[in-house]
Every structure is written in structure tokens, then in C-alpha cells.
């Protein structure tokens, strides 16, 4: 069962194992762009630092720099286990900058390689759409690379309607809905 979990220290051992599986590559939806160099280290210290960076971004009381929009970062967890529950990452951005409107979209996500093809992205996106509905975001932009079949199917199974393709990015609009 996939759930959205608030990034927190009790999940760090599993977060470290999940991040390690990406082998130092960028992890969509993880907040890695906030870290110097954009690459997460698979260590608890790096995870702790990331928690301190992402939590204020979701807090309406935080004054944001001009180039950042309010954003919720979630860790996708498999709630049926406490052994190694972190299966991926998801970010829900509350607004679109010109860059997000063109390429990034409202939602970014990634599932750790060892836990793919189990429906975690599909459920994660559904849960994000329910949160978006709660926030009053009716039309949610979700994008993916034109050769990313897994992400394309994830978005289409959520009801995504393709608007266009811009420089290799497919741009879909999905109507948000309560859970
Ligand atoms: C894309 C990604 C998030 C999919 O995660 P996942 O948990 O494996 O996806 P799901 O199991 O929920 O599958 C969703 C749909 O995609 C299909 N799918 C997933 N991966 C696929 C693949 N590699 N090839 C073909 N179909 C695939 C599933 O069959 C399912 O289709 P359905 O809804 O018609 O049944 C994952 O591969 C990933 O993290 N990739 C790297 C990061 C990334 O690309 N993030 C998205 C950025 S836009």
C-alpha cells in the first residue's frame, strides 16, 4: 500500500537505501536541486540536511525566495512494511513558474529501481492529485520526457490529457479530484 509520508528522521535508514539505488544520478521529486551540486548523498547526514531544506518550503509561514514556489516534498512509502518502507519521492508544487509551466509541471516523482512496476508511481500521483484538489489546484500539469514510457503511462492512467510536446517534454494536464 503506497502512502505519502512527511520526510522525517525515523525514515532515514530506508531513505539512504533508496537514494543509494539511484547511484548518484538526479532523482525527480526528491528535492535534490536544493542541495549544492544537485546530487543527494546516500547518508543519513545528507537526508537530515534535506529534511531541513524541504520542510520550510511547504510551510505557509516561510517567506520564499523569488525563484521558488511553495512545494510539498513527500517520501513515497510502502505502508505494509516497516523493514525498508521508502519506495520513492514525490514533490507537489503549488504554483508554476515560467520554467515549471514549460517543463517541470506541478508534480515530480521517482520510484527506487528495486520497487518499480508495483504501482507506486500510479498511486503516488493519485494521492498527489487528491492533495492538489484540497489545495484548490484544479488543473495539474505533469510532464515527462518523450521517451519515458513508464512516466507517460503513469500520467495517462491518472487521466492526463496531452497538451503538447516542447523540446522533448510531453506536457499533460490532469484534473485533480478528491481521494
Ligand atoms: C517512471 C517511474 C516513476 C514509474 O514508476 P513505477 O512505480 O514503476 O510505475 P507504476 O508501477 O506505478 O506503473 C505505472 C504505469 O506505467 C507502466 N510502466 C511503469 N514502468 C514502465 C516501463 N519501464 N515500461 C513500460 N511501462 C511501464 C506500468 O505498467 C503502469 O501502467 P498501467 O497504469 O497502464 O498499468 C519510474 O520508472 C522512475 O522512477 N523512473 C525514473 C524517474 C522518472 O523518470 N521519474 C518521472 C519523471 S517525469
Amino acid at each position: 500500500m503506497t502512502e505519502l509520508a512527511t520526510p522525517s528522521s525515523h525514515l532515514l535508514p530506508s531513505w539512504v537505501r533508496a537514494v543509494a539505488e539511484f547511484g548518484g544520478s538526479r532523482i525527480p521529486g526528491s528535492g535534490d536541486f536544493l542541495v549544492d551540486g544537485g546530487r543527494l548523498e546516500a547518508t543519513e547526514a545528507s537526508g537530515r540536511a534535506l529534511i531541513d531544506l524541504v520542510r520550510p518550503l511547504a510551510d505557509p509561514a516561510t517567506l520564499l525566495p523569488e525563484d521558488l514556489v511553495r512545494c510539498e516534498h513527500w517520501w513515497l512509502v510502502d505502508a505494509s512494511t516497516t523493514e525498508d518502507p521508502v519506495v520513492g519521492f514525490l514533490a507537489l508544487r503549488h504554483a508554476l513558474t515560467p520554467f515549471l509551466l514549460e517543463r517541470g509541471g506541478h508534480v515530480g516523482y521517482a520510484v527506487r529501481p528495486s520497487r518499480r512496476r508495483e504501482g507506486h508511481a500510479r498511486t503516488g500521483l493519485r494521492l498527489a492529485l487528491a492533495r492538489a484538489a484540497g489545495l484548490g489546484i484544479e488543473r495539474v500539469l505533469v510532464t515527462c520526457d518523450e521517451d519515458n514510457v513508464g512516466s507517460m503511462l503513469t500520467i495517462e492512467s491518472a487521466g492526463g490529457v496531452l497538451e503538447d510536446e516542447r523540446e522533448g517534454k510531453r506536457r499533460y494536464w490532469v484534473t485533480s479530484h478528491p481521494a
Side-chain angles (χ1 to χ4, degrees):
M1 191 192 8
T2 321
E3 289 183 2
L4 302 178
T6 301
S8 43
S9 45
H10 77 280
L11 290 168
L12 281 173
S14 181
W15 179 90
V16 168
R17 287 195 281 271
V19 167
E21 288 185 13
F22 288 86
S25 59
R26 301 297 305 269
I27 309 177
S30 66
D32 59 4
F33 76 97
L34 296 163
V35 173
D36 268 349
R39 298 282 192 281
L40 295 174
E41 280 174 40
T43 63
E44 292 202 16
S46 160
R48 221 168 277 116
L50 185 74
I51 290 171
D52 289 344
L53 288 169
V54 298
R55 277 204 171 165
L57 290 181
D59 182 349
T62 306
L63 214 56
L64 298 172
E66 242 175 51
D67 55 335
L68 286 183
V69 295
R70 182 95 38 227
C71 179
E72 298 172 11
H73 285 87
W74 298 99
W75 292 351
L76 294 175
V77 295
D78 175 354
S80 69
T81 178
T82 51
E83 183 84 4
D84 189 8
V86 176
V87 295
F89 308 90
L90 186 143
L92 171 61
R93 299 175 271 265
H94 293 192
L96 297 173
T97 61
F99 169 78
L100 293 172
L101 178 62
E102 191 79 11
R103 302 190 67 76
H106 285 101
V107 185
Y109 47 80
V111 171
R112 66 193 273 190
S114 66
R115 299 300 304 271
R116 289 182 185 165
R117 309 300 294 264
E118 297 178 33
H120 294 301
R122 186 151 33 122
T123 306
L125 181 55
R126 186 172 51 75
L127 295 170
L129 289 168
R131 285 202 64 79
L135 291 163
I137 308 168
E138 285 171 20
R139 290 178 77 235
V140 178
L141 181 67
V142 192
T143 67
C144 68
D145 290 341
E146 61 189 353
D147 58 355
N148 191 340
V149 180
S151 191
M152 216 177 291
L153 289 173
T154 300
I155 301 166
E156 288 172 5
S157 76
V161 176
L162 184 67
E163 178 175 272
D164 59 15
E165 201 174 301
R166 298 185 190 175
E167 293 179 18
K169 279 279 176 206
R170 288 169 77 87
R171 301 170 64 258
Y172 291 89
W173 290 96
V174 195
T175 304
S176 67
H177 49 75

